[in-house]
Amino acid sequence: MARIILKPDNNFFNFSYGTIKASNCRTSVKSQPLTGLPFKPSLRFRVSCSIKERELENAAEKKRIINGLEVNGQLKEQESLGEVGSGVRNVGFGWDWPPWKSLPQRYKLIGTTSLAFVICNMDKVNLSVAIIPMSHQFGWNASVAGLVQSSFFWGYALSQLPGGWLAKIFGGRRVLQVGVLVWSLATTLVPILAGFMPGLVLSRILVGIGEGVSPSAATDMIARSIPIEERSRAVAFVFGGLSFGSVLGLLLAPPLIQNYGWESVFYIFGFLGIGWFSAFQFVKEDQSPFGAAYQSWTWPDLMNKSWDSSLKDLGDSLKDVPWREFFKSKAVWAMIYAHFCGSWGHYTCLSWLPTYFSEELNLDLAEAAWVSVLPPLASIFVTSIASQFADNMIAKGVETTVVRKICQTIAFVSPATCMILSSFDLGLSPWEVVSILTGGLALSSFALSGLYCTHQDMSPEYASVLLGITNTVGAVPGIVGVALTGYLLDSTHSWGTSLFAPSIFFYLTGTIVWLAFASSKPQTFSKSD
């Protein structure tokens, strides 16, 4: 004899009731009044035809709960699951619309955060395209144009540590919202302030500040919401939005400028961020969807803290951060140096590769512009491969530290090798050199499954602060490295010496330090007395 199991949506108990008659495709229930039940007459239920099947079903139910698939009451009562008739109840099927309505909340959060990063890099690269007509209109020379572009990195560098601290105090969600709003409003102000140099520089500094707090905010949300076996994919998906944003910005900016003027890219891209800010208000965040099994630390109740917290509370919270313990850790120093090394190669190539393609490889400006899109475009595909590779290895039982070291080694050795090949005269055609550099820079995206996951592996509680520390140092090459490359180019007239040699040096030494000292083992960073 089988039993019917009644399962209300938000109550985890079973109620066995009545007998049933089973046929091939239909199950009927003897009509009897159900009294005294603490839920509505329209009930969701499942039919188990044996004790073994019931046990398997209960096990599957528990697994789904643990995996966060029923977080936030996503399994709603649906009339289509049980129809009350005249004496007979039929088992049916139903679904939610739109399709993303039934997605786990953490997936919605990660998806919208990735979209914010797409807009982030669109607002970062728009000036690199618009600077040409702006220089012609306002009569700027190369030095002034360089000042305007580098001002972004001043704000970006200064906001890293404050961003990580604020994400720790108020939660990454709130910090990300404010960051997007700040950089979007500052972007829309660029056309208004373009004729007033101090105001223009200030607006770009504000763009850098808004975008600078975003990586730490995203890291905080990932550390809160994503279990370790999904973390590589989550980090890759979120930070992969930067590559997609670069591609989208470089593709959209030229036709927009040509048809509507250079001002249009700042207005359109800025309003996209403001629209994102408005829509993000409707995306909720689960504070602890996975339970204690996925985190070894107790997350403080900071999500309910208001922005008008007293300065004393904020000062006390800043003192509570174990700064000294951070810098006692060799693994933290390995992250700091690796971040610096990776950023040196990334920022110098982002700034100078178009000029290298044009002057050294003799590509015309149109070809150089299109070729500049190839590295970030290829990075999108490599990122998805790297994240699957890392998560699969961890799921198979490979130690997390080993996985992170493998991924980061690929991210450093690959571009270094390709730059060495490009530095020598091997008789390669320009497009072969482009292909080699594109492949090497694309493989550097393995860092998203290496370095960029290690902050969360090491300490979910302080992940945002740790990323703030390493990203502050990582922003220095945007200020120093880009300018030094230009100085070396004027002095040596050699692209191999000015652009590739420093990057190769940092890539290789970064690999050595990472393999020797990096670790993903959880650390408490308890303050010593």
Side-chain angles (χ1 to χ4, degrees), residues 379-443:
S379 295
I380 297 174
F381 297 99
V382 173
T383 296
S384 62
I385 296 173
S387 60
Q388 291 286 348
F389 168 77
D391 281 345
N392 288 340
M393 290 186 69
I394 292 174
K396 292 178 180 179
V398 180
E399 187 180 353
T400 305
T401 297
V402 175
V403 174
R404 303 306 182 206
K405 286 186 175 183
I406 292 173
C407 290
Q408 193 60 38
T409 300
I410 295 173
F412 278 169
V413 174
S414 298
T417 303
C418 293
M419 288 182 181
I420 291 173
L421 294 176
S422 302
S423 300
F424 295 104
D425 186 7
L426 301 178
L428 301 175
S429 68
W431 291 104
E432 288 174 329
V433 175
V434 168
S435 300
I436 291 173
L437 288 175
T438 297
L441 294 175
L443 288 171

Side-chain angles (χ1 to χ4, degrees), residues 109-119 236-242 276:
L109 189 69
I110 293 302
T112 51
T113 303
S114 180
L115 181 59
F117 276 45
V118 172
I119 300 172
F237 189 75
V238 170
F239 286 87
L242 296 174
W276 180 94

Side-chain angles (χ1 to χ4, degrees), residues 49 99 102 123 165 175 177 241 244 260 275 309 348 396 401 417 422 441 472 486 499 503:
C49 296
S102 60
D123 287 335
W165 171 59
V175 174
Q177 290 181 85
F244 189 77
Y260 305 105
S309 298
T348 55
K396 292 178 180 179
T401 297
T417 303
S422 302
L441 294 175
T472 298
L499 178 60
S503 297

Side-chain angles (χ1 to χ4, degrees), residues 48-120:
S48 299
C49 296
S50 67
I51 296 176
K52 183 64 175 179
E53 183 179 349
R54 179 178 176 182
E55 292 175 350
L56 292 175
E57 185 179 76
N58 289 339
E61 183 78 356
K62 292 178 181 178
K63 184 176 181 180
R64 284 195 296 271
I65 294 171
I66 291 175
N67 287 336
L69 297 179
E70 296 189 35
V71 175
N72 244 10
Q74 289 179 17
L75 295 180
K76 303 295 184 182
E77 279 194 51
Q78 298 177 19
E79 294 295 331
S80 58
L81 291 178
E83 298 178 358
V84 180
S86 57
V88 178
R89 297 185 182 184
N90 298 328
V91 178
F93 300 94
W95 54 83
D96 289 329
W97 187 262
W100 56 83
K101 182 178 180 181
S102 60
L103 281 176
Q105 199 63 36
R106 69 185 187 277
Y107 294 165
K108 298 177 184 178
L109 189 69
I110 293 302
T112 51
T113 303
S114 180
L115 181 59
F117 276 45
V118 172
I119 300 172
C120 171

Side-chain angles (χ1 to χ4, degrees), residues 508-525:
L508 295 181
T509 57
T511 301
I512 296 172
V513 171
W514 185 259
L515 291 175
F517 301 110
S519 174
S520 288
K521 293 182 179 179
Q523 300 187 32
T524 58
F525 293 112

